[in-house]
Amino acid sequence: IGVNIGFVAIRNTKANKAFWLHVHSEIVRTQALDQRVVNNTLYSGMAENDFGLKWDRFPPEIWASSQAYFGPPPANVAVHHANFTLEKAISKDPSLKLDQMAMLARYAAGEDKEELLQFIKDTQVNQSMLDYRDRHFGVRRPGPEWCTLPQDHVARPGGFREKKQKGSKAIAIAASTDAATTATDDATEVSEVLESPSPSAAESPKEA
């Protein structure tokens, strides 16, 4: 699931204009990522219900490298959007993405399939990819409910708050530290009692 707005086709309609004006205003208002705002507006049902927008995703022949998480591209891949690299890409240096495009071209031509298949295997266990999917399409997705998804879909609920989770963890850590401190203090007190000299008969407690 999810749409990548790095590659889009848009008709000049009132619905589209209203949709993109909303996206822009939300980005200005919340400073949220543009792609997150787009996905929230589409999958929540707001795009269709409020703006009358009819939308869909491209067929699999238009392939983004982030889709390597799900496996290889179709044999008749027509477009390659190099939106994910295993190494950190520097914006002023397109060499990583150009190399990736050449790799896909060799795969599509049947010249070297192993290179791309290894890229797919590496992508599927790449921590950045796993974290990205969890935050955008998994249990850590913030934002509104995506009502257009099935009830049992992991990405449907949304509402995750990173700061709230961090706050809860901080409270738990603080409570744990307090408990450890109390336990240490108690142990110190016991240690002090055990290590103090035994009282003389005259100093013995009255119960004695």
Side-chain angles (χ1 to χ4, degrees):
I1 65 163
V3 298
N4 186 306
I5 59 174
F7 197 88
V8 297
I10 303 173
R11 287 193 177 97
N12 184 14
T13 65
K14 288 183 179 180
N16 248 319
K17 289 178 181 177
F19 169 76
W20 287 106
L21 282 172
H22 166 77
V23 168
H24 178 263
S25 66
E26 280 298 286
I27 293 169
V28 171
R29 184 180 70 85
T30 65
Q31 298 299 300
L33 295 173
D34 52 3
Q35 196 155 281
R36 176 164 280 168
V37 173
V38 168
N39 276 282
N40 283 341
T41 309
L42 292 175
Y43 281 100
S44 67
M46 183 181 183
E48 184 172 2
N49 297 334
D50 290 16
F51 310 125
L53 183 70
K54 301 297 181 184
W55 66 279
D56 204 345
R57 293 184 296 169
F58 286 122
E61 289 77 19
I62 297 179
W63 192 76
S65 51
S66 59
Q67 291 176 284
Y69 179 81
F70 300 103
N76 57 340
V77 58
V79 174
H80 172 207
H81 176 34
N83 69 324
F84 174 76
T85 57
L86 292 168
E87 301 171 45
K88 186 175 182 179
I90 302 172
S91 58
K92 64 181 180 180
D93 180 8
S95 59
L96 279 176
K97 296 193 173 186
L98 290 173
D99 288 346
Q100 188 185 105
M101 290 178 175
M103 175 180 66
L104 185 70
R106 290 191 293 272
Y107 173 87
E111 297 171 3
D112 184 355
K113 292 188 177 292
E114 288 305 315
E115 189 179 10
L116 183 72
L117 293 177
Q118 185 59 52
F119 170 78
I120 289 165
K121 288 178 182 177
D122 292 341
T123 298
Q124 291 171 337
V125 295
N126 180 269
Q127 192 55 51
S128 293
M129 171 58 74
L130 296 175
D131 188 55
Y132 167 78
R133 294 206 58 78
D134 196 37
R135 288 185 292 108
H136 289 264
F137 311 112
V139 295
R140 292 164 57 204
R141 185 185 70 76
E145 181 180 3
W146 285 3
C147 302
T148 59
L149 295 180
Q151 284 286 350
D152 59 348
H153 197 290
V154 66
R156 177 164 175 151
F160 181 85
R161 293 175 61 189
E162 195 81 38
K163 290 182 180 177
K164 183 177 179 181
Q165 288 295 109
K166 287 180 180 177
S168 299
K169 286 180 182 178
I171 292 169
I173 290 169
S176 218
T177 304
D178 289 344
T181 303
T182 303
T184 303
D185 291 344
D186 291 345
T188 303
E189 289 174 7
V190 171
S191 175
E192 288 171 351
V193 169
L194 292 175
E195 292 174 4
S196 61
S198 299
S200 64
E203 295 171 339
S204 295
K206 293 181 179 177
E207 292 79 8

